[in-house]
Amino acid sequence: MRVDTKVQNDGKMQFEAALDWAGFGPYSYVLTTLAGFINIAYMCVCYATTIIIPASACELGTTTSQQGYIASGPRFGEITGAIIGGYLGDKFGRRRVLLFALISSAVLNGIASISVNWVMLLIVQSLASFCSAGQYSLAMTILCESVPMCKRNVLVLWVLSILCLSQGIMAVIAIPIIPLPFSFYLPGLGIYWNSWRTLLLVYSTPSLLAAVLLFFMQESPKYVFAKGHEEESIDIIKTIHRWNNWKPAEDFQIKSLTLDAIDEPTSIKDQIVPLFKAPLLKYTVIMTTLYLLQLITAFGVWLPTIVNQFMQIVETGVGTNTSLCSIISDSVQVPVDPDVAPCALNVSSLLLVMSMSALRSFLNILLSLVVNRVGYRNMAICFTVVCGVSGIMVNLIPNAYASVVFFMIFMTGALVTGMYVAITVALFPTHLRALAVALTSTGGSIGMLASVPILNRLLEVNCSAGFYAFSSIFLSSAFIAAFLPDDSRSLKKKLEQI
C-alpha cells in the first residue's frame, strides 16, 4: 500500500516521505559531487606515500625496510582513525566532524612535505591518515541521509566510481610534477624543496577545497532529527527543497516529522554495545567478516612491478606464452641494479594505473544502472563469484595477455567495498550508522595490513598458491553474504511506500 506523501491535517509527515518531497535537484547533485570529492581528498592523503616513497628515496636515503614502514604507517592511522571518526560523527554530527577531518588532514599533509627525515614523514603521514580515515564513511553517510531513498543505491555506486578513479587522478597529478628537476635548499630546515615535496603539498589541496564546499552545505537532516532537534531538521529539509526545486520554503508546509522510535545513546557504551548485541550483532559480524575477506587490495602492493614486467613483454614480445606468476617470479628474482636511480617513477606505469582506475570507474557506473533491480546483496554475491573465479583462472592459462585480463577482472573485485558500505548503511539505525560503517570497514584495513606480508612471501616462494588461496578466500565471501537480507525486496517495498 502506498503511503500518501502529502502533509496530513495536523502537519505531520513521515521523514522519508519528506525527503522524497524535497526532491532530487541541484543541491543533491552538489552533495553527491562533494561526497566524491571528499573521497578523492581521502585517497590523496591516506595513499600519498604510494607515490612519494620512491620519489623521496634519494633525498631521505631510505632503505627497503624503512620504505615499508612509511607505507604501513598510514594503514595503522586508518584503522584507529576510522573507528574514532565514526564515533565522533554519530556523537557530534557528520558535517562538523568532516570539516575537522578535512582541514586537519590537509594541514598535517602539508607539514609532511617539509619532513627532515623518513621518521618525521612516517609519523606525520600516519597522523594525517588518522585524521582523514573517517572521511569515506562519513561522506557516504551524510549523502544517504540527505537524498530520497529511491536514489541512494545509484548515488553510492556513482560516488564509489569517483573513489575508484581517485588513484588514477593521483597518477595524473603526479605525472607533470614528479619529473620536474628544480631543487631549492632551505637552510632553516636543512632540506631541499623539490618535486616530491611539491606533490605532497598539492595532494592537500582537494581536502581544503572540499572543506570550503562542505561549509556551505547542510548537516544530515536525519541525524539532526535523531538528536531530537525536529525544527532544525525541518528547516534543513526545507532548504534542500528550496535548492532542489527553486521554490520558496513556504511551499513546503510541514510542521512535524515522524520516524521509528530512536534510542538515543547517552554514552560511548550506549553507542558501541548495541552493535554487539542482538539483533545487530549478526550484521556486525557478517559485515566485518566480509571486509576481512576482501583481500584483493593486498595485490595492489605488487601492481607497479606487474605492470612494469608486462610492459616489457608487450614491447619485446618475449615471454608471452607464460602465466602471470611467471612474470611476477621474474621480477622478484631480478637483482637490484645499484647504478639505477631509485627515485625515478615510471610514467608509463602511472598511465596504466590511470587506465585501470578509469576502467573500474566505468564498470561501477554500469553497475549503478541495475542495482535498484538486483539489490546490493545479490550484486555483491555475483561480483565476488566472478572475480574470485577469475583470480583462480589467472595461472591456469599459459598466456600473458589472457592471464593479465583475468587479473584485471580479479582486481575489479575491490568494487564490492562500496556495496558493503551501502548494505551497512541500510542495516544499522541512524544513531549508530557512522560508527557501524567505520567499525566494519576497519576489518578491511586490518585484513589488508595482515595479508600484505603474507602475500608478498607467497609471491616469492609459491606465487600460484598465493593466487589460489586469496582468490578462494574472496570467493568464500559470497557464501557469507547470502546470510544477509535480500535488500532488493525491501527496497521495492519501501519505494512503493514513498
Side-chain angles (χ1 to χ4, degrees):
M1 180 179 178
R2 183 179 299 274
V3 176
D4 190 1
T5 58
K6 293 182 180 180
V7 182
Q8 300 173 11
N9 293 333
D10 56 359
K12 291 184 177 181
M13 176 179 280
Q14 293 183 359
F15 182 85
E16 291 296 342
L19 274 185
D20 185 59
W21 198 11
F24 189 86
Y27 181 89
S28 305
Y29 285 116
V30 172
L31 184 61
T32 303
T33 304
L34 177 59
F37 199 68
I38 289 174
N39 282 328
I40 294 176
Y42 157 76
M43 289 291 291
C44 283
V45 172
C46 286
Y47 293 89
T49 52
T50 59
I51 293 179
I52 297 303
I53 287 174
S56 63
C58 287
E59 183 181 356
L60 299 182
T62 52
T63 63
T64 302
S65 60
Q66 290 169 347
Q67 292 175 14
Y69 295 142
I70 298 174
S72 61
R75 306 292 80 76
F76 283 105
E78 275 190 284
I79 292 173
T80 53
I83 297 176
I84 295 177
Y87 165 74
L88 294 177
D90 284 334
K91 192 70 175 177
F92 300 105
R94 288 73 159 108
R95 178 176 172 272
R96 184 183 301 176
V97 176
L98 266 175
L99 281 171
F100 174 80
L102 289 166
I103 296 174
S104 60
S105 61
V107 171
L108 287 169
N109 203 54
I111 295 175
S113 67
I114 57 173
S115 297
V116 297
N117 52 48
W118 72 272
V119 175
M120 179 179 175
L121 180 63
L122 165 63
I123 294 174
V124 179
Q125 276 296 112
S126 299
L127 290 175
S129 296
F130 173 85
C131 292
S132 65
Q135 293 176 15
Y136 173 72
S137 60
L138 288 174
M140 289 295 206
T141 302
I142 194 174
L143 174 64
C144 290
E145 293 177 348
S146 304
V147 297
M149 183 181 295
C150 60
K151 299 289 186 179
R152 289 172 193 168
N153 283 352
V154 174
L155 292 181
V156 168
L157 280 180
W158 276 84
V159 173
L160 180 60
S161 298
I162 300 176
L163 180 64
C164 294
L165 194 60
S166 59
Q167 190 176 15
I169 294 175
M170 291 176 64
V172 170
I173 296 173
I175 288 174
I177 297 178
I178 285 297
L180 296 176
F182 70 88
S183 180
F184 303 105
Y185 183 67
L186 303 179
L189 297 172
I191 62 174
Y192 288 88
W193 185 266
N194 45 36
S195 60
W196 73 265
R197 296 181 185 276
T198 303
L199 179 62
L200 199 55
L201 191 62
V202 170
Y203 279 157
S204 297
T205 306
S207 296
L208 296 176
L209 293 177
V212 173
L213 247 177
L214 183 62
F215 181 79
F216 296 98
M217 306 302 288
Q218 301 292 317
E219 175 61 273
S220 160
K222 195 167 188 178
Y223 166 81
V224 173
F225 184 59
K227 283 292 184 179
H229 306 296
E230 184 179 17
E231 291 186 5
E232 184 181 351
S233 179
I234 293 174
D235 290 339
I236 293 174
I237 295 177
K238 286 182 177 181
T239 301
I240 296 175
H241 174 268
R242 183 174 68 250
W243 283 101
N244 280 339
N245 300 279
W246 296 103
K247 294 181 179 179
E250 290 73 16
D251 292 349
F252 192 62
Q253 297 297 329
I254 144 182
K255 297 181 180 179
S256 63
L257 299 170
T258 60
L259 192 66
D260 292 339
I262 297 174
D263 297 323
E264 180 64 25
T266 58
S267 66
I268 297 178
K269 178 181 177 181
D270 293 335
Q271 193 166 9
I272 296 178
V273 170
L275 299 178
F276 298 94
K277 294 174 60 178
L280 298 180
L281 174 61
K282 170 185 174 181
Y283 300 134
T284 301
V285 173
I286 291 177
M287 295 311 304
T288 303
T289 303
L290 289 176
Y291 275 107
L292 280 170
L293 299 182
Q294 214 280 75
L295 303 178
I296 292 179
T297 50
F299 282 87
V301 175
W302 285 90
L303 188 58
T305 301
I306 297 172
V307 169
N308 285 332
Q309 292 295 312
F310 181 70
M311 292 301 294
Q312 290 179 12
I313 290 177
V314 171
E315 294 173 357
T316 63
V318 178
T320 55
N321 296 324
T322 185
S323 67
L324 186 61
C325 266
S326 297
I327 298 174
I328 296 175
S329 298
D330 291 340
S331 67
V332 171
Q333 295 170 6
V334 173
V336 178
D337 186 353
D339 297 327
V340 176
C343 306
L345 281 176
N346 190 311
V347 175
S348 298
S349 298
L350 291 175
L351 288 172
L352 190 52
V353 168
M354 178 190 67
S355 301
M356 292 181 65
S357 299
L359 176 63
R360 283 185 295 184
S361 180
F362 177 73
L363 177 60
N364 205 67
I365 292 175
L366 293 181
L367 294 177
S368 68
L369 301 177
V370 298
V371 66
N372 280 332
R373 298 181 180 180
V374 179
Y376 276 109
R377 188 206 69 162
N378 297 335
M379 182 177 290
I381 291 175
C382 294
F383 218 69
T384 50
V385 170
V386 172
C387 295
V389 172
S390 297
I392 295 174
M393 293 292 295
V394 165
N395 291 296
L396 294 180
I397 300 178
N399 181 277
Y401 297 103
S403 189
V404 168
V405 169
F406 277 109
F407 176 69
M408 293 177 66
I409 297 175
F410 173 63
M411 291 296 290
T412 59
L415 294 178
V416 299
T417 301
M419 303 176 196
Y420 293 161
V421 171
I423 294 173
T424 305
V425 167
L427 290 176
F428 291 87
T430 303
H431 63 288
L432 302 174
R433 187 169 292 156
L435 179 59
V437 172
L439 180 63
T440 55
S441 61
T442 299
S445 299
I446 296 174
M448 184 181 69
L449 191 64
S451 62
V452 166
I454 297 175
L455 176 62
N456 287 350
R457 182 59 179 167
L458 285 173
L459 292 179
E460 290 182 11
V461 299
N462 196 332
C463 176
S464 297
F467 268 94
Y468 295 145
F470 278 65
S471 300
S472 299
I473 292 174
F474 181 64
L475 183 60
S476 67
S477 63
F479 173 76
I480 296 176
F483 289 95
L484 292 170
D486 188 348
D487 59 322
S488 64
R489 298 176 183 176
S490 60
L491 177 62
K492 291 179 182 178
K493 291 181 180 179
K494 290 179 180 179
L495 289 178
E496 290 174 356
Q497 294 176 348
I498 295 179

